[in-house]
Amino acid sequence: MKQIIIAIYIVGILLFTYSCDDFLTERSYSSISDDNFYESANDALAGLNAVYASFCGYYGGNVYGHGTISADLANSGEGTGGINELDINVTDFQGFWGSEYTTINYANTVLYYVPEINMDDDLKARYLGEAKFLRALSYFTLVVSFGDVPLITEPTLNEDNNYLPRTDKGQVCDQIIADLLDAIDVLPESYGSSETGRVTKGAAQAILARVYLTLEEWQNARDMAQNVISSGNYSLFPDFRDVFDVENENGQEHIFSIQYMANTGVASSFTSSYASRNPNILFGGLRAGSAVAAEQDFYDGYPEHYRKFITMVDSFPNQYYPEISVANGAEEGKCLAGPSCMKFWDPNLTANSQGDANWPVVRYAEVLLIFAEAENEVNGPTTDAYDAINAVRKRGRDSNGDGIDDPDDEALLPDLSGLSQDGFRQAAWRERELELCFEGHQRWDLLREGRFMEAMTANGKNPQEKHLLFPIPLAEIQANPNLTQNPGYSE
């Protein structure tokens, strides 16, 4: 059940639109950030819900544009130029920058005012933990995108925050880690059905494991992932198809997801964005957006097993998606714009922007792969490392979800064994590509692995050193003389 959290998002949207100006011209909330508002537990909840509402904005499109299209496994479908071709300029990221700092400002406001409210101490601590998680993940997104960014930990009550210089990313990461550790200490392991979708302890641990992995703090990444695994709160779906079935959202593998619901103010458009543009791929005669497509070489090089067939299709009709037909048999055959990702397929879609598909921010399969990679870096390819990565591979080849290896399936995707430390490292990177493709991870993985330039060159692009970071938005630099641009981008 995600109706309640969707209602929370809608209410939050109504609250935060009062002051959704760009970061550098942002005023304090007209309705929920002044001293007179934060007086009760209900006020604290309203402020926190505004943070959630602002936070989810990044995941409506930027997440796959930045993490997937700006990498080597996918492209912008029928689109041309732009981030897919590394045609990046200093005006491209204004909305993204402003949205992230709006979320941070809302979180800072909660963290500034809520401690003084007379309310249940445990509930207060939980609300503050949720706000710290949302602030931390917003800052992490900024750091991997831009490098050094202004570190702001108090609400924008005057002009001071508007003229801060960039803070060394190491210091920002220290704040991210501190926020997540604080959140882990106070967040619950689960919620009742009425609060499905809120941040849990496991979500904070999983994201912190990702942060540590990015920073190459291998022991910390290993231990934090192990905490999630040992909690017993999560497990893989036996059938890979179930991970992305809209009927199974917020299930055993979904540690933290952005909640969307069809025919509400926070419906998703992922089905349309990812679907091929062949006629009548979407029900009701809708034409898909075809904004994301798999690179043909990635599709061709993906091992021929069950996970591939559920993840992507390259033609219709297709035995794995028998409900999909093309109009009157027209344009049967190859998907237009290239192989189509099916992870966000919603068979009940009635309008292009009215989907029910959630966005999986972090799921249990990623935690297993973080553990496997970090364990290998700390101790070499141990039995524990093999067990973690092979659990993901076993599920990927299990075409009937019964947990029993069919000899033919196992031959196509065998368990890993007998690898050197570097061999296991390479296998772990490859497994992330196969398991997590199109979920907004690939750019960030290539960067942390030091493979971005090589991979993008092999993909036919012309990467330059400047492309390792996005440019600071021109409007921000023009408004704040203390901001500097990333190397290679003109001001």
Side-chain angles (χ1 to χ4, degrees), residues 73-75 77 292-299 312-313 337-341 438:
L73 306 184
N75 57 59
V292 185
E295 292 283 19
Q296 189 66 50
D297 60 352
F298 176 58
Y299 178 85
M312 293 178 283
V313 299
S340 180
C341 169
F438 312 113

Side-chain angles (χ1 to χ4, degrees), residues 60-355:
N62 282 332
V63 65
Y64 62 76
H66 296 174
T68 294
I69 295 174
S70 180
D72 62 330
L73 306 184
N75 57 59
S76 54
E78 292 184 331
T80 58
I83 198 170
N84 175 54
E85 299 295 332
L86 299 181
D87 180 15
I88 296 171
N89 63 65
V90 295
T91 64
D92 289 344
F93 297 91
Q94 181 63 45
F96 165 47
W97 176 283
S99 175
E100 292 302 291
Y101 272 107
T102 295
T103 300
I104 289 165
N105 189 54
Y106 289 5
N108 287 342
T109 302
V110 169
L111 294 168
Y112 184 84
Y113 286 108
V114 169
E116 302 304 317
I117 296 177
N118 183 17
M119 59 181 289
D120 179 81
D121 288 340
D122 290 340
L123 186 60
K124 179 191 293 186
R126 193 198 95 186
Y127 287 174
L128 296 176
E130 291 178 71
K132 286 186 176 183
F133 173 95
L134 298 171
R135 180 173 71 177
L137 188 46
S138 296
Y139 265 125
F140 185 62
T141 303
L142 287 168
V143 165
V144 296
S145 298
F146 301 107
D148 300 344
V149 295
L151 177 60
I152 304 171
T153 56
E154 293 188 353
T156 303
L157 303 176
N158 52 49
E159 292 297 310
D160 291 348
N161 283 352
N162 295 335
Y163 299 104
L164 292 175
R166 299 171 69 175
T167 305
D168 181 82
K169 65 181 181 181
Q171 185 178 342
V172 181
C173 287
D174 288 344
Q175 184 65 54
I176 292 168
I177 292 169
D179 278 351
L180 290 172
L181 288 172
D182 286 348
I184 289 167
D185 284 342
V186 297
L187 290 176
E189 294 192 356
S190 63
Y191 294 91
S193 60
S194 66
E195 294 187 289
T196 296
R198 303 192 82 94
V199 180
T200 62
K201 178 177 182 177
Q205 291 172 322
I207 293 299
L208 184 52
R210 183 191 293 173
V211 171
Y212 283 140
L213 191 78
T214 301
L215 298 176
E216 297 186 349
E217 295 188 22
W218 306 117
Q219 185 69 56
N220 286 333
R222 179 224 178 271
D223 292 348
M224 196 56 61
Q226 181 62 66
N227 288 339
V228 179
I229 295 167
S230 299
S231 73
N233 293 326
Y234 309 100
S235 59
L236 297 174
F237 278 106
D239 189 333
F240 186 72
R241 178 187 288 271
D242 288 342
V243 180
F244 305 99
D245 187 335
V246 293
E247 300 299 321
N248 294 325
E249 290 177 336
N250 304 308
Q252 64 202 54
E253 187 167 340
H254 304 126
I255 298 177
F256 181 55
S257 301
I258 303 299
Q259 306 294 304
Y260 294 98
M261 180 176 288
N263 302 311
T264 70
V266 285
S268 68
S269 59
F270 303 132
T271 297
S272 173
S273 296
Y274 279 84
S276 175
R277 203 164 171 78
N278 300 57
N280 271 15
I281 294 304
L282 307 184
F283 294 119
L286 300 173
R287 294 276 285 185
S290 192
V292 185
E295 292 283 19
Q296 189 66 50
D297 60 352
F298 176 58
Y299 178 85
D300 293 341
Y302 200 116
E304 296 286 322
H305 53 71
Y306 181 63
R307 181 168 54 183
K308 174 180 181 176
F309 307 140
I310 298 303
T311 298
M312 293 178 283
V313 299
D314 74 336
S315 61
F316 298 100
N318 184 284
Q319 72 181 84
Y320 292 95
Y321 297 93
E323 71 273 23
I324 300 177
S325 63
V326 293
N328 301 318
E331 297 188 51
E332 290 186 349
K334 296 294 183 182
C335 291
L336 300 182
S340 180
C341 169
M342 301 302 293
K343 285 185 172 181
F344 301 98
W345 170 247
D346 180 357
N348 303 312
L349 192 74
T350 58
N352 282 350
S353 297
Q354 289 298 321

